[in-house]
Amino acid sequence: MHKTADVCTFRLFLCIFIWLCAQKVLPLQPICKKDIIFTHYYNNMALKIVVLAKQVPDTRNVGKDAMTAEGTVNRAALPAIFNPEDLNALEQALRLKEQNPGSTVGILTMGPPRAGEIIRQGLYRGADTGWLLTDRLFAGADTLATSYALATAIKKIGDVDIVIGGRQAIDGDTAQVGPQVAQKLGLNQVTYAEEVLSVKDGKATIKRVIDGGVETVEAPLPVVITVNGSAAPCRPQNAKLVMKYKRATCPMERPAEGTAYDYLYDERPELTLNQWSVADVDGDVNQCGLSGSPTKVKAIKNIVFQAKESKTLTASDADIEGMIKELLDEKIIG
């Protein structure tokens, strides 16, 4: 009697197992190996990813009024764009989100209220949320003060697995903020990344470019990654996501009560972007903005190179020898 019941139970479990395999709920291949059947799900872990992004002035349109008297960038006088290498970083984050079900991607940026546009552009491409650090006390920050503000915000966000950003911003070209954030948070860092290949068993496998070649490295999570501009370009904005998030604003940008669309923010909480001040992230005022910035720009000049004289040379041996001799005498070559 017991034997018959056991056989029936076994057949029932076998039928359920075959049905699950047919529905592709369970993979068949791991059964043929020594690996346990849940290895696939263990390796694909849900990640909390923060993308460091910056709204920068378009350096293709720099004029005489590009700097203020204090030596800071006059952002009001220049068109603002999404920092190009931060877009490369966003693409890597979105790929990781696709590879690891349950993962989330958030955009962290610092700037005036209009920098909320950076978060919206991230949402249009597939990000889930964003945080805008905006406060007069953040203004005029160099890389040291910027990395301090970002690090305090990341601590407030909490439980972050991967912080990823562009190698550098086109308005400063320092490539310092990412490594400084890693140092302030005490995290591992990988710079000059071309591709985040995978995240498994609590480690990120990353391909990076170095002098003389390419190397593949592993870094335990949590980790800070900076991405090159030569990495894969970011995907275009998704039309459905544009329609969903086009009214997303931080509280300082929100239209006044009684104006068009103001009712949306009560009905749809996802349209209210996170807006944090120095006090919100428990920041030290003395380490933020100009107060926390030891770097001072004394002056900026536009230099236009103009040829004062020119020479026409032929392909004769005499002209070539004369040119080489002149370059050697002037120590331009040699």
Side-chain angles (χ1 to χ4, degrees), residues 104-284:
T104 60
V105 173
I107 308 293
L108 175 60
T109 189
M110 185 176 80
R114 71 170 183 170
E117 177 62 23
I118 294 300
I119 298 177
R120 284 189 289 275
Q121 289 186 31
L123 296 172
Y124 298 159
R125 290 174 166 88
D128 302 284
T129 187
W131 305 270
L132 172 64
L133 298 179
T134 186
D135 192 320
R136 292 295 300 174
L137 297 173
F138 286 132
D142 66 0
T143 61
L144 189 67
T146 298
S147 62
Y148 171 77
L150 295 175
T152 57
I154 292 168
K155 288 179 182 178
K156 182 177 175 67
I157 294 168
D159 299 323
V160 176
D161 298 299
I162 296 177
V163 178
I164 189 167
R167 175 178 58 99
Q168 63 185 32
I170 60 174
D171 58 348
D173 289 340
T174 63
Q176 294 174 355
V177 171
Q180 286 179 353
V181 168
Q183 189 274 332
K184 287 178 171 60
L185 294 174
L187 300 182
N188 303 298
Q189 62 174 295
V190 178
T191 56
Y192 302 103
E194 284 289 304
E195 183 180 2
V196 183
L197 300 174
S198 65
V199 177
K200 293 182 180 180
D201 302 326
K203 295 180 181 179
T205 304
I206 302 159
K207 182 174 73 174
R208 64 190 297 263
V209 174
I210 58 174
D211 288 341
V214 176
E215 68 178 5
T216 301
V217 298
E218 278 190 349
L221 302 183
V223 64
V224 176
I225 303 170
T226 61
V227 180
N228 292 333
S230 54
C234 195
R235 63 196 63 187
Q237 298 176 9
N238 181 288
K240 290 184 178 180
L241 293 176
V242 171
M243 295 303 295
K244 180 179 179 179
Y245 290 111
K246 66 180 181 180
R247 303 294 178 190
T249 60
C250 64
M252 289 179 68
E253 293 180 294
R254 185 175 298 178
E257 291 186 10
T259 58
Y261 308 112
D262 68 308
Y263 64 91
L264 287 176
Y265 301 97
D266 293 328
E267 298 177 359
R268 298 172 56 190
E270 72 274 11
L271 295 183
T272 300
L273 304 180
N274 298 294
Q275 175 186 309
W276 290 344
S277 65
V278 173
D280 290 329
V281 296
D282 298 323
D284 179 358

Side-chain angles (χ1 to χ4, degrees), residues 80-107:
I81 62 172
F82 201 121
N83 184 54
E85 291 189 356
D86 293 339
L87 281 172
N88 298 103
L90 175 58
E91 176 61 25
Q92 294 301 311
L94 294 174
R95 291 186 181 190
L96 286 174
K97 177 183 173 182
E98 293 169 347
Q99 295 167 10
N100 299 272
S103 298
T104 60
V105 173
I107 308 293

Side-chain angles (χ1 to χ4, degrees), residues 289-312:
L290 282 173
S291 299
S293 302
T295 306
K296 306 297 179 185
V297 178
K298 297 300 182 182
I300 183 170
K301 296 180 180 179
N302 291 327
I303 299 175
V304 179
F305 292 99
Q306 295 179 341
K308 295 182 178 179
E309 60 180 33
S310 62
K311 293 181 181 180
T312 302

